[in-house]
Amino acid sequence: MITLNDTTTQVLLVALIALPLLGAAAVLLPRVPAWTGVAVTGAVLAGALVLAAAFDHDDPAAVQAESDVPWIPALGVRLHFGVDGISLPLVALTALLTFLCALYTLARPPEGPRPAAFTALMLLLEAGTLATFAVLDLVLFFLAFEMVLVPMYFLIARWGGAGREAAAWRFVLFTVTGSVVMLLGLLLIGVRGGTFDMVALAEANGAGLSHATQVVAVLAIGLGLAVKTPMWPLHSWLPDAHTAAPTAGSVLLAGVLLKMGTYGLVRIALPMAPEGMETFAPYLGAFAVTGIVYGSLACLAQVRRGAGGDLKRLIAYSSVGHMGFVLLGISTLTATGVNGALFANVAHGLITGLLFFLVGALKERTGSTDIDRLAGGAEGAGAALYGRTPRFGGLLAFAAVASLGLPGLAGFWGELLALLGAFHPADGLSRPAFLTYTAVAAFGTLLTAAYLLLVVRRVCMGDAPGEGAGSVGGPGSAGGVGGAGGGALPDLRAHEYAAFAPLVALTLLAGLWPAVLLDLTDPAVQHLLPGAVR
């Protein structure tokens, strides 16, 4: 831990948001070196780590690095920034994943126009995401929330794969529609509460807002945030967006953009409209567990032999299930459940980010993400990663078992705490209903294990083809899956070690030492939920 004065931490937090904006403009200038994006995102990551080291871990419920100056006095809108134990892990996660994406993109530029423009859009996306997690004004939150739509649209539409334009439009239409509804809810809370200050509204805990106002506000805000999460049945934009997006776009979409929706529920809806959340909590839980089972069944359909499933699409559907556990934890209105939701948020960002990196690298090697082609079978030799690229295959298996929630890895604790929260929901909620949700969600974990183990079996296992096997060829070959030179596939490369190793290390750290996150989130959650059930 390091000690910095208040002014220094205030400047540091604002700089974390401003630096990517300046970097986005800089990388578009003529003769700017290609590594500028890595340098800028590296500086942001270093700043985030310094901010985390200077954070007062003895008081994580307090807003720190806080700056608050007028911006639009006539409307009462202020430039109010700060972080606490809830937002700090998401700020660090955003900085880390963006840096790793920039590093990976430098070594493997995406196919398409102007790599510099791609980097600039990534930096704009980083600025918007960091601002979303750091702002403490409802109007600023909405502006930052919307800011990420434009760069993500162009990342998909300009550098994506097949069907990229339709997927990009679908992404924008769904999220913009949800955001318009969310804005109405935010304005309702701000106008009726007499302020747009998120700290003051959270401390008021719904005082001054009638029950009807809270119900309408939570319905409007919840719909907008549910689209971004995404919650079943508002998830249909996600598989297309992930399938079409370039590797870095998929990593950032799954790793940080989805977290904006659940973060908004915890930061805004839970403390500011508690009666509204209590009204909708049983319905939120029902949608959550439906999403868990639906996502798992969709993944089982993708991995089924002969279904022509796509590995990127499968991981996208898996996110619907994993984010269902986050929503289930929030719906319990307990400290245990909400802590589980926040833990699962970070764990999903680490693990699914790693999975999308690996699938992108696998496509570079084999030219395909079609699961049947990767599995081989009657068509000939498949990927057989254990035999051909043992380190790559082992890492894919590691990411898969982490995603299914193996104890000792990050994916375990969030799901466990969400289930424990559902087993003992907050007073006023129907315990029989939440016991049913617990049983359904637990069944979903079995389905999750089934499809992920099938992925490992079909893609990683199998006999490696001999040299000159006709069924394998490079990405440009006419036939199937494999690398140039018969059965040869390159194992992990240096830039892949650099991009993947931090995610592996943090997945292990969070799994073996969950207190590293829970000690940050729990006091902040207790502060946001007065009288919360543990």
Side-chain angles (χ1 to χ4, degrees), residues 216-242:
V216 173
V218 169
L219 178 61
I221 294 171
L223 284 173
L225 296 175
V227 171
K228 186 64 70 73
T229 299
M231 180 185 77
W232 180 92
L234 303 175
H235 68 284
S236 58
W237 61 270
L238 183 70
D240 290 338
H242 269 309

Side-chain angles (χ1 to χ4, degrees), residues 191-353:
V191 172
R192 292 295 179 89
T195 179
F196 291 110
D197 186 88
M198 293 166 65
V199 176
L201 289 167
E203 290 176 349
N205 203 227
L209 300 177
S210 68
H211 178 77
T213 297
Q214 293 191 37
V215 168
V216 173
V218 169
L219 178 61
I221 294 171
L223 284 173
L225 296 175
V227 171
K228 186 64 70 73
T229 299
M231 180 185 77
W232 180 92
L234 303 175
H235 68 284
S236 58
W237 61 270
L238 183 70
D240 290 338
H242 269 309
T243 304
T247 297
S250 291
V251 171
L252 294 176
L253 180 58
V256 295
L257 263 68
L258 303 189
K259 313 303 176 284
M260 293 164 61
T262 49
Y263 172 79
L265 288 173
V266 174
R267 175 65 72 193
I268 298 173
L270 274 177
M272 298 181 196
E275 293 179 18
M277 279 298 295
E278 184 176 350
T279 298
F280 284 107
Y283 305 102
L284 179 61
F287 283 123
V289 296
T290 303
I292 291 170
V293 174
Y294 170 84
S296 298
L297 291 176
C299 290
L300 283 170
Q302 289 285 316
V303 78
R304 182 173 53 87
R305 187 181 302 275
D310 184 275
L311 194 52
K312 284 190 75 174
R313 200 171 187 86
L314 181 146
I315 298 172
Y317 275 116
S318 78
S319 292
V320 177
H322 289 306
M323 297 308 289
F325 279 99
V326 178
L327 293 171
L328 177 63
I330 294 172
S331 73
T332 67
L333 307 184
T334 65
T336 299
V338 176
N339 275 305
L342 295 172
F343 198 104
N345 247 354
V346 175
H348 178 266
L350 296 172
I351 297 168
T352 307

